[in-house]
Amino acid sequence: MAELLEAIMLICFGLSWPLNAYKNYKAATAVGTSWQFIALITAGYFAGIAAKFVSGNLNWVLVVYFINVVCIAANWLVYFRNLRLDAQRARTVVAEEEALIVVA
């Protein structure tokens, strides 16, 4: 029963990550995204996986942990993509401002 409850908790968390990655992908900005939060969640998943190995309780729930790690990895990819897009936009704004100064 404990394994089922653990799996339900992981599935609930896990379902939120693809939705979050999609939302952030569509937003195309890292503004408002907390890398610290993503890092804490990532560390939590790895701690859960380590606990399974340390306790010797290797069961089917471990698969759910690994699926969640894949989902959180997608969030990291989107976060770094969005950082790159934000930097590109900032360079464009600076270039446009410099062009206006030269013209004036």
Side-chain angles (χ1 to χ4, degrees):
M1 181 64 161
E3 293 166 353
L4 178 61
L5 294 172
E6 182 181 14
I8 290 170
M9 181 270 304
L10 289 168
I11 290 167
C12 289
F13 279 127
L15 288 175
S16 66
W17 291 115
L19 298 173
N20 188 63
Y22 177 75
K23 178 189 69 102
N24 288 333
Y25 182 84
K26 294 291 281 182
T29 182
V31 173
T33 302
S34 170
W35 68 264
Q36 296 92 338
F37 178 73
I38 300 172
L40 283 172
I41 296 298
T42 303
Y45 284 134
F46 281 113
I49 291 168
K52 289 289 188 191
F53 282 98
V54 169
S55 70
N57 189 15
L58 300 176
N59 55 39
W60 61 274
V61 178
L62 190 59
V63 173
V64 183
Y65 274 105
F66 284 116
I67 292 170
N68 284 353
V69 167
V70 169
C71 291
I72 200 79
N75 277 267
W76 279 112
L77 292 173
V78 170
Y79 173 73
F80 288 116
R81 169 216 178 234
N82 288 348
L83 279 180
R84 183 178 43 81
L85 293 175
D86 289 342
Q88 286 174 345
R89 279 190 292 273
R91 284 191 299 273
T92 300
V93 168
V94 168
E96 288 172 356
E97 289 174 353
E98 288 174 352
L100 288 174
I101 292 171
V102 171
V103 172

